[in-house]
Amino acid sequence: VYTALEAKLKDMHMNGPAPDVITFAGNGEPTIHPHFPEIIDDTLTLRDKYCPKAKVSVLSNAAHICKPKVFDALNKVDNNIIKLDTVDENYIRLVDRPVARYSLAQTIKCMKAFKGNCMIQTMFLKGTHDNVDVDNTSDKYVLPWIETIKEIAPRQVMIYTIERETPDQNLQKATREELDRIAALLIKEGISVNVSY
């Protein structure tokens, strides 16, 4: 990994374009890689050498943030973006379906431990899943979530909705108006928010 990344960043340094961001994301959770902490250290070293203006971002589902080495690695990157779709554990088990051992209370505790050095990413959607209403745009879900966001005190909250077709045809996008309403509630609390429709 180190050699391939160095070759790519060296080429971009010499021939352009210089990257704005180096992002770890994709199909799967980047923090489950057994060498994730070392990969982050190598990436930061190479970034500093070849493209010091680029940010390093990690998009994480937060399932492994309480592991000390993963936590420390995430704390080093420029954009530590972690997912928190709701503060209702039953909803998370139904919709997000964590496969690892999962405790919402422990995950939130670890999010707070970043002391603001994180960004929270939340997906809002509507519809049903297994004949259960999964609309998390209502105050039932939004207001407790905002209280938890205030406790976590992230640098920014990123809210969005479904972008492409999902395996469950009964899921629907949250509307622009619903996302704007949630964003306004965050702004009222002094929380920086980015909305993607």
Side-chain angles (χ1 to χ4, degrees):
V1 174
Y2 185 95
T3 306
L5 181 59
E6 181 172 38
K8 182 65 177 173
L9 292 180
K10 189 174 186 179
D11 176 60
M12 293 175 90
H13 173 71
M14 293 172 67
N15 303 310
D20 295 323
V21 182
I22 301 166
T23 303
F24 290 85
N27 296 327
E29 171 59 24
T31 64
I32 64 172
H33 191 287
H35 300 292
F36 175 74
E38 295 85 354
I39 291 169
I40 291 298
D41 285 342
D42 288 348
T43 301
L44 292 169
T45 297
L46 292 169
R47 183 274 311 266
D48 292 347
K49 182 174 181 181
Y50 295 109
C51 50
K53 292 182 180 175
K55 303 288 186 193
V56 175
S57 298
V58 177
L59 299 171
S60 171
N61 67 13
H64 301 279
I65 64 170
C66 295
K67 294 179 179 177
K69 287 184 177 181
V70 170
F71 180 92
D72 291 344
L74 289 172
N75 220 5
K76 293 175 185 177
V77 302
D78 301 292
N79 296 317
N80 169 22
I81 304 167
I82 45 184
K83 195 162 176 56
L84 181 66
D85 287 338
T86 180
V87 292
D88 182 307
E89 191 152 357
N90 290 329
Y91 184 101
I92 290 171
R93 293 196 182 284
L94 176 69
V95 178
D96 294 339
R97 297 181 177 183
V99 291
R101 248 183 336 158
Y102 182 81
S103 161
L104 178 62
Q106 184 64 27
T107 300
I108 290 170
K109 182 179 176 185
C110 293
M111 288 178 175
K112 291 178 188 177
F114 283 114
K115 296 183 174 25
N117 187 30
C118 65
M119 300 162 88
I120 300 295
Q121 187 179 62
T122 301
M123 176 187 280
F124 289 97
L125 52 83
K126 301 187 305 183
T128 60
H129 178 68
D130 292 342
N131 295 316
V132 177
D133 182 6
V134 293
D135 181 347
N136 66 340
T137 65
S138 68
D139 285 350
K140 172 187 172 184
Y141 291 103
V142 171
L143 297 181
W145 170 79
I146 288 176
E147 289 306 307
T148 302
I149 293 292
K150 286 161 59 177
E151 293 173 16
I152 296 168
R155 202 166 70 237
Q156 185 180 63
V157 174
M158 305 162 82
I159 63 174
Y160 66 109
T161 191
I162 298 169
E163 199 170 299
R164 54 189 170 270
E165 195 171 304
T166 64
D168 188 333
Q169 298 298 308
N170 295 315
L171 299 178
Q172 305 159 13
K173 291 176 72 120
T175 65
R176 177 179 287 266
E177 292 73 24
E178 287 163 332
L179 292 177
D180 285 344
R181 181 188 81 86
I182 295 164
L185 291 171
L186 289 166
I187 291 165
K188 185 178 174 187
E189 297 293 343
I191 299 164
S192 172
V193 60
N194 179 286
V195 186
S196 298
Y197 304 101

